[in-house]
Each structure stands twice: as structure tokens, then as C-alpha cells.
Amino acid sequence: MDDLIKVPAKLLGDIAMPDFCSSCWWLKYRIRNKVPFSGFPGIFTVMDSFIKRRTHGWFDRNGAEPPWLAPIGPFTEYLDVPKAFGFTDQKTGVHLYGVPDDLFRTKRNDSVIVDYKLSRYKGPHDYMGPIYHTQVNGYAMIANALGLGPVTWTGLVYTTPQTSDADADDEDDQDENGFAIKFKVELVEIPIEPKKIAPLLEIADVLGKAKKKPAYSDGCKNCKRINSMVELLSCLPPSDKRDLATAELLLETLFPNDDYLADR
């Protein structure tokens, strides 16, 4: 594995969660967060792209931000985010990276970062709040480091489908080709707090460099699921060499010093 610890901003946000599990994070980091048996519905990717294109299209036609972004404007332009959007923290040596949904330049000559969410705002105590906070603050740190700042506002743009009975009965949005769905936009500011990112980078550095997986957490549901998978694979009959090889590889990865066998 590359000696440079490279962490996406969203994965860094896992460390800020109240139910953070160092064992799970260690595993997710090593498999590049490509967790088995999980999938991300394609509609979210499609809608994120659509919202971005709709926003940029309005800007191109009118020379200003669309009305739903006016409260955080005025903007002079939207910026193309570099493909290499990341920076290496000098203290920890951790390389933080990720791609914000949109980056705008304002008439004050500063920058605004937004992340689009195709969902309803659940309030300040949203379970995913710590991840979102870390994610956009990480983007702000990167933008400032790359000379794309100063970033003075970061936040989420919630686009919520309007699905009430009245919306379902609205015949003005229907024709022989189908129907349209209205979206309500809500802007939620996230405070810029780089000092809260520093300790997360330190933890990521320690876990990223750790050769041995941290111990399971008794209260972690994912740890229990992984343990059940290991139990199953370790008991496979040697009839299928591929399954046996998979089991041995998983056991070696999870328990490099045979601590699993010692616990049995």
C-alpha cells in the first residue's frame, strides 16, 4: 500500500460520527470504501449532475446565479473544480481529497462551496450531520490550499421532491409524455471550522498507518456482521479452492497476527 495516507473528505467524516468504529474505518480505508453488498442508487448521481447542469445553465444564460441560490450570492462565476482537488496536511502528512458539487466565486472575490443533497432537511440533529460538516469543511481547506479561496461560506443545498397529495393531483405538470416533479430548495449553512478537522486527520493518520486491525467494537453492528462473515468463511469445507482462498485471504487481512484464532 502507498505510504502516503490518502483519505477522501467523506470518509474522514466517519471519524466524527458518534458511533465511530476504528475497526470498521480501518477496513473501509483499506478497501477504498468499496464495501461489499452495498450499492448507491444511480438516480442520486443522475440528479446531482442534473442540478449542477441546471444551475450552470441558468448562470450561462443570465450571467447570475439562479434565484434559489440568491441568498448566498451574488456570484460572478462558477469554477471548474480541478481533477486533482486535494492537499497534503503539513502536520500529519495525510492527503485529503474529494470533489465538491459546486464552487462559486462571489463579487466580494471570495468563494462559496455547496454540496447538493437530494433529500429533505432533517434539522440540525441529522444523523449524517457530522459527515456533512467534515466533508464541506474538508473541501474548504483544500480550496484554500489550492488558491481557490478564501472560502467564506460552505453549506448544503437540499432539493426536496414535492410529493403531497396536492402535488400528485396537479394536472398542470402532466401531459401525454409523462409528468414533472417540483423540487423545493433549502439552503443550510455549515460553519467553517478547520480546527475540528485537525484531530480527525490525526486519527486518520494513525489508523491509516496501522498494520494491525483495531479490535472489534462490541456495540458496532457492522463489526458483528463482519465477525459472522468470518465465522462462516472459516468453516467452509475445502471443496472449492476459490472459496477457501477467499476465506484464508479474509482471515489474513482481518487477523494478521492470528488473534482471531486465539479468541476462538
Side-chain angles (χ1 to χ4, degrees):
M1 178 172 285
D2 193 336
D3 291 337
L4 180 63
I5 307 301
K6 302 176 182 178
V7 181
K10 190 171 184 180
L11 183 60
L12 186 71
D14 283 0
I15 301 176
M17 294 293 283
D19 55 356
F20 165 65
C21 172
S22 59
S23 178
C24 289
W25 197 95
W26 186 91
L27 287 172
K28 290 173 72 175
Y29 172 74
R30 274 159 178 71
I31 61 177
R32 300 303 182 195
N33 206 22
K34 295 180 180 179
V35 183
F37 313 125
S38 64
F40 190 77
I43 185 62
F44 291 104
T45 302
V46 171
M47 288 304 301
D48 274 352
S49 174
F50 176 75
I51 295 168
K52 187 172 183 176
R53 287 186 289 115
R54 189 178 182 99
T55 302
H56 291 187
W58 179 285
F59 204 107
D60 292 340
R61 293 188 300 272
N62 298 281
E65 70 280 351
W68 58 87
L69 290 179
I72 57 175
F75 302 144
T76 58
E77 61 179 331
Y78 56 83
L79 303 177
D80 292 327
V81 179
K83 291 184 178 180
F85 193 76
F87 89 111
T88 301
D89 178 56
Q90 292 185 352
K91 181 178 180 180
T92 62
V94 172
H95 185 78
L96 185 67
Y97 68 95
V99 181
D101 285 336
D102 248 331
L103 177 61
F104 299 101
R105 201 71 180 166
T106 77
K107 289 187 176 181
R108 301 179 300 275
N109 202 32
D110 52 29
S111 298
V112 166
I113 289 177
V114 302
D115 207 57
Y116 300 119
K117 300 297 179 187
L118 183 62
S119 63
R120 176 178 56 84
Y121 177 50
K122 301 178 182 65
H125 303 296
D126 186 346
Y127 172 76
M128 295 293 290
I131 290 181
Y132 296 156
H133 179 280
T134 303
Q135 189 176 6
V136 297
N137 267 274
Y139 295 155
M141 292 178 69
I142 296 170
N144 287 332
L146 295 179
L148 298 174
V151 178
T152 58
W153 195 96
T154 62
L156 308 177
V157 179
Y158 284 90
T159 53
T160 308
Q162 301 303 287
T163 57
S164 68
D165 290 340
D167 291 305
D169 293 336
D170 188 353
E171 296 184 358
D172 292 336
D173 294 332
Q174 305 179 50
D175 59 28
E176 65 276 7
N177 295 315
F179 59 89
I181 300 178
K182 296 178 181 178
F183 288 83
K184 178 183 178 181
V185 174
E186 186 170 1
L187 305 177
V188 177
E189 182 176 6
I190 291 182
I192 299 175
E193 300 175 306
K195 290 184 178 180
K196 291 188 176 181
I197 305 301
L200 304 182
L201 290 171
E202 293 177 0
I203 295 173
D205 181 45
V206 172
L207 291 176
K209 293 177 179 176
K211 303 300 182 182
K212 182 179 178 181
K213 183 186 71 63
Y216 277 122
S217 174
D218 292 335
C220 177
K221 294 180 180 179
N222 286 323
C223 277
K224 293 180 180 178
R225 292 166 181 161
I226 294 172
N227 194 44
S228 296
M229 185 184 300
V230 172
E231 289 276 3
L232 176 62
L233 290 174
S234 64
C235 296
L236 283 174
S239 58
D240 191 323
K241 293 182 179 179
R242 290 174 300 177
D243 284 345
L244 185 59
T246 299
E248 291 176 348
L249 179 60
L250 181 61
L251 288 170
E252 182 181 352
T253 302
L254 297 180
F255 309 100
N257 297 321
D258 295 328
D259 54 346
Y260 174 73
L261 297 177
D263 290 342
R264 287 176 63 84

